[in-house]
Amino acid sequence: MLPIAGTLAATAAAAAAAFSYKGKRWASLDGDADRLVYHYFDQDGHWHLLDGDKMAVLAADFLMDALRESGLPPPEVSTGGDGGPGGEWRVAVVQTAYANGASTRYLREKGVPVAFAKTGVKFVHHEAEKYDLGIYFEANGHGTVLFSEALSLALLAHHASFAEGGAEEWVEEKLKQKVATTRLISAQQLINQAVGDAMSDLLFIEAVLRLKWWDVSVWAQGLYTDLPSKQLKLQVPDRTVVSCNADETRALTPPSLQERLDALMAAPAVAPHGRVFVRPSGTEDVVRVYAEADTPDAAAELAAEAARIVQEMVGTPPKQEGNGGGTGGGME
């Protein structure tokens, strides 16, 4: 399992005595090297985590800019899908409901299509395969970038076209297009498009930071600021009482549950950025609550109110004699 944030911070802090650590970026991989996160201490000694959302946005920012600058012609036949209008390459960042809302808002304001999938890398990967350029990183750092065969072949053909003609035909715009196309091809060759290869992801992130001339603090602060969030885990008698839509962003049952959650999100104390959703566990009688808002206190209050509604509508498991029983509700 990926080490929790506290463990990462403690590990980095322990190493600080050996050398100057402020401003240096650290990368942490899990045991089988399929997940990656970055973290660092700022000049005031505060620790910051750059998770999968930060990596997805960095990748999208770099790749979308390169695609626009490449001058790559649109496909002759529309590839359809939701990543763009007919006659354009299908592009999307695929997220789950757990993606921080600030990252989603940043992408949409940049004109990057965002698609949602059910929690779990196998579901996110399957959704990303629908696009010519599908970018996904779960918050835990599990992810990659997928290039369709059509886009890969088009990039190679476009790159070859720059070799045609004499030197007099080379102008600044063509050189800019060639550089952008070369970057896209290099990214496609570097990134392992199989599910979860933290080493290739690390090399890609490092290359992007170098090409942008960004240090870790610019990356952390220059794109968006995460909204504070809170997660709760609720023990319930029967998790199947709660069901969700396909991407788990809205509850379908019990019938009035989503209506009451919508009322919470519309409250002046958390609007306009407050968000909460609930979803049943796939393996145990547990309902998980995720909330985010502009402040940690508002996020915690929103999560607590959502938990109260769930337990009111779904119930709590009976107490077990001898172990104190009761209701779960701690952070995941």
Side-chain angles (χ1 to χ4, degrees), residues 1-23:
M1 295 293 292
L2 184 69
I4 61 174
T7 302
L8 287 174
T11 301
F19 57 91
S20 177
Y21 61 91
K22 292 181 180 179

Side-chain angles (χ1 to χ4, degrees), residues 1-329:
M1 295 293 292
L2 184 69
I4 61 174
T7 302
L8 287 174
T11 301
F19 57 91
S20 177
Y21 61 91
K22 292 181 180 179
K24 296 183 182 295
R25 62 181 177 270
W26 299 61
S28 293
L29 288 65
D30 66 340
D32 57 355
D34 64 0
R35 304 182 193 186
L36 167 71
V37 294
Y38 277 82
H39 47 113
Y40 77 104
F41 286 92
D42 63 23
Q43 295 304 315
D44 295 323
H46 298 132
W47 183 77
H48 301 269
L49 174 68
L50 292 88
D51 61 7
D53 292 340
K54 287 285 188 181
M55 290 188 285
V57 170
L58 178 68
D61 198 66
F62 174 77
L63 293 171
M64 289 296 292
D65 284 348
L67 190 59
R68 282 189 288 264
E69 294 171 3
S70 69
L72 181 69
E76 294 182 3
V77 178
S78 172
T79 52
D82 298 325
E88 294 186 2
W89 296 105
R90 299 168 300 158
V91 178
V93 174
V94 182
Q95 297 186 323
T96 72
Y98 285 103
N100 194 276
S103 70
T104 309
R105 187 165 60 253
Y106 174 88
L107 289 167
R108 286 174 170 163
E109 289 175 353
K110 288 274 290 185
V112 180
V114 179
F116 281 88
K118 185 177 179 179
T119 302
V121 69
K122 65 180 180 180
F123 301 110
V124 182
H125 189 93
H126 178 71
E127 181 67 23
E129 288 178 323
K130 298 178 182 179
Y131 300 92
D132 293 302
L133 182 60
I135 303 163
Y136 75 89
F137 284 89
E138 290 191 296
N140 62 19
H142 203 163
T144 189
V145 179
L146 304 181
F147 290 76
S148 71
E149 182 178 5
L151 178 58
S152 299
L153 293 175
L155 286 170
L156 291 173
H158 187 53
H159 189 271
S161 70
F162 292 114
E164 299 172 359
E168 68 278 5
E169 297 182 23
W170 284 97
V171 294
E172 183 177 351
E173 183 62 24
K174 287 294 184 181
L175 181 58
K176 183 178 179 181
Q177 291 179 0
K178 183 179 182 181
V179 168
T181 304
T182 301
R183 289 179 174 180
L184 287 167
I185 293 172
S186 298
Q188 189 270 340
Q189 294 173 342
L190 172 61
I191 297 168
N192 185 346
Q193 298 184 57
V195 176
D197 183 344
M199 288 303 301
S200 69
D201 291 340
L202 183 148
L203 294 173
F204 173 65
I205 295 297
E206 289 297 311
V208 171
L209 292 175
R210 180 63 62 88
L211 288 170
K212 283 180 167 287
W213 292 93
W214 281 9
D215 63 17
V216 67
S217 63
V218 175
W219 175 22
Q221 302 167 18
L223 298 175
Y224 65 90
T225 300
D226 280 321
L227 289 169
S229 63
K230 178 74 172 180
Q231 297 186 49
L232 298 176
K233 176 180 177 181
L234 308 177
Q235 298 287 340
V236 295
D238 181 7
R239 69 181 185 275
T240 63
V241 173
V242 177
S243 64
C244 300
N245 63 349
D247 58 22
E248 300 179 322
T249 56
R250 298 185 65 80
L252 300 178
T253 60
S256 62
L257 174 57
Q258 187 59 50
E259 181 180 349
R260 296 181 66 178
L261 295 178
D262 287 341
L264 289 180
M265 290 183 278
V270 298
H273 299 144
R275 181 172 71 95
V276 64
F277 71 90
V278 302
R279 56 179 286 269
S281 167
T283 58
E284 55 183 331
D285 280 329
V286 161
V287 172
R288 306 187 191 279
V289 178
Y290 176 92
E292 60 186 34
D294 288 327
T295 67
D297 288 345
E301 179 64 21
L302 184 57
E305 284 298 306
R308 182 186 60 78
I309 291 171
V310 170
Q311 292 187 319
E312 175 188 317
M313 300 184 72
V314 180
T316 59
K319 292 184 178 181
Q320 301 295 320
E321 294 185 5
N323 64 5
T327 304

